[in-house]
Amino acid sequence: MMNLSASPADMADGNPTHPSSPQHNADYLAQLLKDKKTVSQFPAVFIHLERLLDEEINKVRLSLFHLNGTSESKPLLLPEATGPVLSLTEKVFVPIKEHPDFNFVGRILGPRGMTAKQLEQDTGCKIMIRGKGSMRDKKKEETNRGKPNWEHLNEDLHVLITVEDTQERAQIKIQRAIECIKKLLVPSADGEDDLKKSQLMELAIMKGTFRDNTTSTPTKIHHQYVLLQNSRQGWGDGAEINNRFLASRK
């Protein structure tokens, strides 16, 4: 008997009665993202639906992209909440001086902010890009530098991590986030970056251009990868992605 409660993500995890493929999961993810966009137009209305959508999107992404580079494989083990809730903040500086041509912001945020959103869900922390070069509009960045609430523009480019929880739980969450961010700040050779390939694949899914190359030759797969690298409309440069990500959270 068919288990109607199983999602395509469950099918991809090895359930023999529900064969699935990357194309199947990609189509399902695209539908979930469309649903998420629709629901987000009614903030604070479908609260539980938004949460369920986020959980399912995260599950499908993990299954489809095997995102070992963005989060630890083991879930967070948190103790019982005891004591007052406090706010912790940490900064992880981006090695932009050592690697001036590497798009760290794009790597951290991912297409339309999806990588950062997954980090936030996995760690329970807020992830924001701050410092010099974090704004798309360079003139506006220069104008705002030195003004109240824009002090971060005087600092080098960094990832700002914040969390609100009881002391012990907050420490565990923020430490996990720091570890994940530091992994993302290690550049990989072009063509050997699995995370970048996953992000480009996800971008193709969002744009509706993804095709399952499971049975294709290595040459065809490489050809599609090159096409995706050269077609970054809808992704944009690092500062543009940061602006889009921040706007999506309002």
Coordinates of all heavy atoms in Angstrom, one line a residue, residues 3 6 10-20:
N3 N 2.3 4.8 0.9 CA 2.3 5.7 2.0 C 2.1 7.1 1.5 O 3.1 7.7 1.1 CB 3.6 5.5 2.8 CG 3.6 6.4 4.0 OD1 2.6 7.1 4.3 ND2 4.8 6.4 4.7
A6 N 4.4 10.1 2.8 CA 5.8 10.2 2.5 C 6.1 11.3 1.4 O 5.3 11.4 0.5 CB 6.4 8.9 1.9
D10 N 11.6 11.8 1.4 CA 11.6 10.5 2.0 C 11.9 9.4 1.0 O 12.7 8.5 1.2 CB 10.3 10.1 2.7 CG 10.0 11.1 3.8 OD1 10.9 11.4 4.6 OD2 8.8 11.5 4.0
M11 N 11.3 9.6 -0.2 CA 11.5 8.6 -1.3 C 13.0 8.6 -1.7 O 13.5 7.5 -2.0 CB 10.7 9.0 -2.5 CG 9.2 9.1 -2.2 SD 8.3 9.7 -3.6 CE 6.7 10.2 -2.9
A12 N 13.6 9.7 -1.7 CA 15.0 9.8 -2.1 C 16.0 9.2 -1.1 O 17.1 9.0 -1.3 CB 15.4 11.2 -2.4
D13 N 15.5 9.0 0.2 CA 16.3 8.6 1.2 C 16.4 7.0 1.3 O 16.9 6.5 2.3 CB 15.8 9.1 2.6 CG 16.1 10.6 2.7 OD1 17.1 11.0 2.1 OD2 15.4 11.2 3.5
G14 N 15.9 6.4 0.3 CA 16.1 4.9 0.2 C 14.9 4.1 0.4 O 15.0 2.9 0.6
N15 N 13.7 4.7 0.4 CA 12.5 3.9 0.5 C 12.2 3.2 -0.9 O 11.9 3.8 -1.8 CB 11.3 4.8 0.9 CG 10.0 4.0 1.2 OD1 9.9 2.9 0.7 ND2 9.2 4.5 2.0
P16 N 12.4 1.9 -1.0 CA 12.3 1.2 -2.2 C 10.9 1.3 -2.9 O 10.8 1.1 -4.1 CB 12.7 -0.2 -1.9 CG 12.3 -0.4 -0.5 CD 12.6 0.9 0.2
T17 N 9.9 1.5 -2.1 CA 8.5 1.5 -2.7 C 8.2 2.9 -3.3 O 7.2 3.1 -3.9 CB 7.5 1.2 -1.6 OG1 7.5 2.2 -0.6 CG2 7.8 -0.1 -1.0
H18 N 9.1 3.9 -3.1 CA 8.9 5.2 -3.7 C 10.1 5.7 -4.4 O 10.9 6.5 -3.9 CB 8.5 6.2 -2.5 CG 7.3 5.9 -1.8 ND1 7.2 5.0 -0.8 CD2 6.0 6.3 -2.1 CE1 6.0 4.9 -0.4 NE2 5.2 5.7 -1.1
P19 N 10.3 5.1 -5.6 CA 11.5 5.5 -6.4 C 11.4 7.0 -6.7 O 10.4 7.5 -7.0 CB 11.4 4.7 -7.6 CG 10.0 4.3 -7.8 CD 9.5 4.2 -6.4
S20 N 12.6 7.6 -6.6 CA 12.7 9.1 -6.9 C 13.9 9.4 -7.6 O 14.8 8.6 -7.7 CB 12.6 9.9 -5.6 OG 12.5 11.3 -5.8

